[in-house]
Amino acid sequence: MNRLTKLFAEKRENILNIYFTAGYPKLDDLVEIGLALERSGVDILEIGIPYSDPLADGPTIQASSQQALKNGMNVRLLFTQVEDLRKHTEIPIILMGNFNQVMQYGENQFFRKCKEVGVDGVILPDMPTYVYEEQFKALFEELDLGITFLVAPQTELERLRKIDELTRGFVYVVSSAAITGGVGGVTDAQEAYFERITSYGWHHPTLIGFGIKDAQSFAKACKYANGAIIGSAFIRALADSQDLSETISDFVSEILPQDSP
Amino acid sequence: MTPNKNGYYGKFGGAYIPEMLYPNVKYLKENYLKIIQSDSFQKEFKSLLKDYVGRPSPLYFAERLSKKYDTNIYLKREDLNHTGAHKINNTIGQILLAQELGKKRIIAETGAGQHGVATATVCALMGLECIVYMGEVDIERQAPNVSRMKMLGAEVRPAKSGSRTLKDATNEAIRDWIAHPVDTHYIIGSVVGPHPYPDMVALFQSVISEEMKWQLKEHVGRETPDSIIACVGGGSNAAGAFYHYLKDDKVRLIAVEAAGLGINTGESAATSVLGSEGVIHGSRTLLMQTDDGQIIEPYSISAGLDYPGIGPLHAHLIKTGRAEVLSATDDEALQAGYLLSKIEGIIPALESAHALAALEMMRFAKDEIVVVNLSGRGDKDLATYIKHQNRFE
C-alpha cells in the first residue's frame, strides 16, 4: 500500500494538498518547504517540476517555474532533493509535470526513479489516457505508483468512467474552465458543477483544484470533495516570505478548519 | 497522407492536451472530416477561395531565374492571394468550420502576422470576435501586420513570456482556449498542435498542390514536377505544396528550414537538425530542447520560421526520408529575396526567401521541372530588407 492509499484509508475529508514549484523561491528550498508543510498539518505535497512552456499554468506558477529554472532546477536535481526530503518524512509526495520532461528523462526510467526516491504518485496533465493505458499502466501497477488524471467542467460521463477506471490515488477536479490561479473563490455555478461531478460515484477520492486560495474556498470545495489543492495562492505567499517556516505555518493555519489536528 | 485514428503519422502526432481541452478536441476529431467533406461546406469553401481569395493562384514560369540556375523554375504564387500569403486558405476553411460548430469567438496565434491578418480578415468577413496572440518581439518586427489586424477589427494581445515570439504566442492562445472552451474556436495557423489540427490544416492547404497538378499539366504537359521546394517553420505551406505528391516517390520534396545565424551558432530554428523527439503544443514531434526537456528558444530573421518545433507530418516525412531538408541562413534568405526582386520583380516574404535560397544549394538538370512555393509577399518585411540593403544590393 503506498502512502497515498494509506492516507485515503485513514482520512476522507478536508484533505489539504499543497502545490509548490521545485527550486522556488531558492534552488534548495524544497526540503525545508516540504517539512514545514507537513508540520503545519498538510496532507499531501504536490511538487511541480518547473517547465519552460507550461500550458495550463497561470502567470503565478509560470513565473515561479521560470525563476526555478533560472535558479538551476532540473529533473535530476529534483529527484535528489525529493530523496533527501523522503528521509525525514512519510507524507505522501506527488510530482506534477509536463509529459515532455518525462519523455526526455526516459518514461520508464522516470517512473522507476519516482518509486526509488519515494514519490507516491504523478500528475501529467498532458499525457493522453490512451498513452498511459497502452504504455505505462502495467508499470504503474508493478511499482504501486499513483496516477492522477484531471476532470473539468465539460468532461463527459463516459470520460469520467474511463478516468475513474485508470486512476490510482485521487481524481483531480479542475474547478472551472481556467488556467491555474485564475479569479479565485468559488461561485454558485461552480458549486453546481462540484455537486454534479463529485456525486458521480467515484471509486477514488476527489480533490478540487484551480482557484482554491483561502479558508472559504477550501471549505466550499471540501463540502463536495474529499479535499482540495492549493497552488498559486501558496506560491504568492512564498514569493513575499522572509521566513519560510513562519510563512508556511501562517498560510496553512489560515486554511485549515480550527478543529483539524 | 492521413494520420491514424489517434492522429499519428508514424510515431509523430497525437493529442497531448490537458483535460480542459479534451471535449473540444474530441468533438473536432470526430466531426472535422464529416464537416469538411460535406457538399455544402466544399461549395462554400471553394466559392470563397475563388471569389474572395482570388484562387487559383498562378503557377508562374520564372524565366530569368530559370536561366540563372539553368533549369525550369515555376513559382506557385501564394503571395498573390488576398492578404498576401497562403495562410488564408486555412483560415477560410477554419472559419467555416467554426461557424458549423456554433462558435462565437475566434482566437489565433501569429508569428510573422500573416496568419493573424488572415484570421482577422475572415473574422471581419463573418462578423466574429477575433483575438490574436503575438509575441512582443514579433509585434515590433512585423508592425505593418499589427496595424492591419487592428484595422480589421481584431484585438492583438502581446505574448510577454519566454522568447516573446511564435512559440509563446501559441502558449498564450492555448491558455486562452483552456479558459474559454465552450464559445471559442482556436484557429491554429500551421500543421502543428493536437490532432486533428495538423491534418485539418494540411487538408485546407492542399489546394496548393491540387492546383499545381493541373497547372503543370497546362504548362509542361504532365502533372508532376521533379522537385518541390518549400520553407518550413511549422510547415503549413510545405504541407499544402507537398500534399498531392506525397505518395509519388518520383517527386523530390525539399523542406527548407531557417538556420538563423547558422545551424551551430546557438541562434537557429533548424528544428529537424537540432531537434529531438518530444511534445510541443499538443503533439509528439521534433523540437529543439535541452536534455532536461526544456524548450530552446529558436532564432530566425523570419518571424514565420522562428519556431522550435515542426509539424508531425513533416517530422514523419523527414525521419522516413520521404522529404529532404535543407537550411538557409538569414543572409542566404536575404540574398535570395533581393535576387528575386531584381530579376523577377517579385519581393518575396522572408519565409519564402528561405525556399528560394535552396536553389543556390542544389544542382538541377537542364530539363528538370522545379516548383518553388512562394508562400507570401514581402511587403511586411520591407523594414528588414532595407536594414540590410547595403550588403545585398
Side-chain angles (χ1 to χ4, degrees):
Chain A
M1 190 192 287
N2 86 15
R3 296 173 195 87
L4 266 180
T5 333
K6 191 156 168 280
L7 169 73
F8 296 131
E10 291 163 0
K11 188 169 177 179
R12 300 299 285 192
E13 53 190 23
N14 295 329
I15 292 172
L16 177 57
N17 173 345
I18 294 272
Y19 168 97
F20 62 102
T21 306
Y24 179 84
K26 301 240 165 46
L27 181 61
D28 297 321
D29 284 340
L30 186 143
V31 175
E32 187 183 344
I33 292 172
L35 293 178
L37 284 169
E38 189 196 23
R39 277 198 305 276
S40 309
V42 165
D43 300 297
I44 301 171
L45 303 181
E46 183 178 319
I47 301 176
I49 311 171
Y51 188 50
S52 57
D53 292 76
L55 295 182
D57 287 337
T60 305
I61 294 181
Q62 277 181 53
S64 71
S65 290
Q66 270 177 12
Q67 185 58 48
L69 291 172
K70 213 177 279 174
N71 292 345
M73 183 46 69
N74 59 55
V75 177
R76 280 170 178 78
L77 179 58
L78 186 150
F79 277 132
T80 313
Q81 293 185 356
V82 170
E83 195 168 20
D84 191 15
L85 172 63
R86 181 50 85 208
K87 287 177 192 148
H88 308 284
T89 172
E90 281 300 300
I91 191 170
I93 297 174
I94 53 182
L95 294 186
M96 176 142 181
N98 286 264
F99 190 61
N100 191 50
Q101 300 167 288
V102 176
M103 268 184 82
Q104 299 322 304
Y105 195 92
E107 295 98 324
N108 291 341
Q109 292 94 308
F110 183 94
F111 299 133
R112 287 187 186 281
K113 188 73 180 175
C114 282
K115 187 68 189 177
E116 192 188 313
V117 302
V119 168
D120 303 292
V122 297
I123 309 178
L124 299 168
D126 65 341
M127 174 173 68
T129 47
Y130 65 83
V131 168
Y132 171 75
E133 201 171 6
E134 287 164 16
Q135 299 176 33
F136 309 120
K137 187 166 175 274
L139 180 64
F140 274 65
E141 283 163 6
E142 179 202 319
L143 299 173
D144 192 18
L145 190 62
I147 178 82
T148 284
F149 294 98
L150 274 52
V151 300
Q154 279 75 40
T155 307
E156 292 168 347
L157 187 63
E158 187 192 341
R159 178 85 176 152
L160 296 183
R161 206 169 286 140
K162 183 82 202 169
I163 286 169
D164 196 25
E165 178 199 319
L166 293 177
T167 296
R168 298 174 54 83
F170 67 91
V171 175
Y172 193 133
V173 178
V174 175
S175 69
S176 64
I179 49 180
T180 60
V183 191
V186 175
T187 64
D188 291 349
Q190 278 175 285
E191 287 201 66
Y193 153 64
F194 293 167
E195 173 74 45
R196 178 175 67 80
I197 206 97
T198 53
S199 63
Y200 160 70
W202 296 98
H203 292 92
H204 300 91
T206 52
L207 301 184
I208 294 176
F210 284 43
I212 309 301
K213 59 170 184 181
D214 52 20
Q216 199 191 5
S217 46
F218 180 69
K220 274 194 182 169
C222 290
K223 231 167 82 186
Y224 300 99
N226 302 89
I229 302 163
I230 298 180
S232 298
F234 181 65
I235 299 286
R236 277 193 290 273
L238 290 182
D240 303 330
S241 172
Q242 302 298 321
D243 177 335
L244 284 178
S245 283
E246 198 184 306
T247 301
I248 291 168
S249 158
D250 289 351
F251 183 87
V252 176
S253 64
E254 283 286 311
I255 305 285
L256 286 178
Q258 294 311 312
D259 58 340
S260 192
Chain B
M1 183 172 295
T2 311
N4 75 11
K5 76 174 167 61
N6 284 329
Y8 288 83
Y9 305 90
K11 57 182 167 177
F12 300 108
Y16 296 74
I17 46 168
E19 190 62 29
M20 293 77 94
L21 294 180
Y22 186 87
N24 265 341
V25 169
K26 176 170 177 263
Y27 190 84
L28 268 181
K29 174 179 145 182
E30 286 168 357
N31 293 284
Y32 79 107
L33 286 176
K34 197 166 58 195
I35 294 172
I36 293 171
Q37 287 163 355
S38 75
D39 289 344
S40 57
F41 185 99
Q42 279 300 319
K43 198 172 157 220
E44 207 173 349
F45 182 54
K46 283 182 177 149
S47 139
L48 282 171
L49 286 185
K50 175 170 175 281
D51 298 329
Y52 187 71
V53 175
R55 301 202 72 93
S57 69
L59 184 71
Y60 162 71
F61 177 61
E63 198 176 338
R64 294 183 68 197
L65 194 67
S66 297
K67 191 169 274 175
K68 174 169 166 56
Y69 293 108
D70 202 18
T71 188
N72 305 286
I73 299 169
Y74 288 82
L75 302 178
K76 181 59 174 161
R77 299 291 307 274
E78 293 299 301
D79 60 317
L80 292 177
N81 292 337
H82 178 42
T83 72
H86 71 291
K87 292 291 186 186
I88 196 149
N89 303 329
N90 170 45
T91 61
I92 292 275
Q94 286 211 45
I95 203 78
L96 293 175
L97 186 79
Q99 286 188 316
E100 198 69 33
L101 299 173
K103 304 287 183 178
K104 301 286 177 239
R105 183 175 174 272
I106 300 296
I107 55 170
E109 84 296 334
T110 197
Q114 290 302 116
H115 174 58
V117 168
T119 304
T121 298
V122 297
C123 286
L125 179 67
M126 300 298 178
L128 293 177
E129 184 187 355
C130 180
I131 292 149
V132 179
Y133 290 90
M134 187 169 189
E136 267 187 335
V137 169
D138 293 337
I139 286 180
E140 211 163 290
R141 61 179 162 175
Q142 308 283 193
N145 273 344
V146 176
S147 304
R148 291 166 80 195
M149 283 184 269
K150 287 182 177 164
M151 186 162 173
L152 291 160
E155 181 193 339
V156 180
R157 290 192 189 163
K160 298 176 176 179
S161 61
S163 54
R164 295 172 292 136
T165 60
L166 180 54
K167 149 180 97 74
D168 311 286
T170 309
N171 290 343
E172 288 302 332
I174 293 176
R175 285 178 196 130
D176 181 308
W177 202 25
I178 287 174
H180 303 91
V182 181
D183 63 341
T184 299
H185 178 65
Y186 177 19
I187 301 191
I188 296 184
S190 192
V191 286
V192 302
H195 175 65
Y197 277 99
D199 188 42
M200 198 160 73
V201 177
L203 276 172
F204 291 141
Q205 292 295 359
S206 70
V207 65
I208 299 172
S209 48
E210 194 182 311
E211 290 173 0
M212 265 159 59
K213 287 172 81 170
W214 63 260
Q215 288 171 323
L216 277 170
K217 180 96 179 168
E218 279 184 9
H219 278 286
V220 297
R222 59 180 164 103
E223 289 186 343
T224 53
D226 296 295
S227 305
I228 304 171
I229 305 175
C231 66
V232 176
S236 68
N237 91 78
F242 295 168
Y243 197 89
H244 288 285
Y245 298 106
L246 288 171
K247 286 185 181 143
D248 186 348
D249 287 342
K250 290 188 295 294
V251 181
R252 278 180 80 182
L253 306 176
I254 294 130
V256 187
E257 294 184 323
L261 299 183
I263 284 183
N264 296 314
T265 60
E267 299 289 336
S268 178
T271 304
S272 76
V273 183
L274 298 168
S276 56
E277 284 177 36
V279 169
I280 183 170
H281 297 140
S283 82
R284 185 181 173 119
T285 186
L286 296 172
L287 61 132
M288 290 164 53
Q289 57 184 328
T290 66
D291 293 345
D292 195 44
Q294 309 294 345
I295 294 173
I296 291 174
E297 289 166 4
Y299 164 78
S300 166
I301 195 170
S302 136
L305 304 181
D306 197 354
Y307 183 70
I310 185 173
L313 167 64
H314 293 297
H316 176 68
L317 295 175
I318 290 166
K319 283 291 171 187
T320 54
R322 176 65 191 95
E324 299 162 51
V325 190
L326 293 173
S327 65
T329 61
D330 289 359
D331 281 359
E332 287 165 336
L334 286 165
Q335 181 94 55
Y338 270 99
L339 176 71
L340 193 75
S341 305
K342 292 275 165 52
I343 70 171
E344 292 288 352
I346 299 170
I347 303 175
L350 277 171
E351 290 75 20
S352 322
H354 283 73
L356 293 162
L359 295 168
E360 197 67 40
M361 304 167 198
M362 299 175 68
R363 290 291 164 269
F364 304 99
K366 209 174 171 54
D367 60 350
E368 221 175 302
I369 307 292
V370 180
V371 176
V372 179
N373 197 37
L374 200 69
S375 56
R377 68 177 84 131
D379 307 27
K380 68 184 177 59
D381 297 312
L382 271 190
T384 310
Y385 275 127
I386 287 165
K387 194 172 143 196
H388 298 276
Q389 197 167 21
N390 53 356
R391 292 195 295 136
F392 296 102
E393 261 198 342

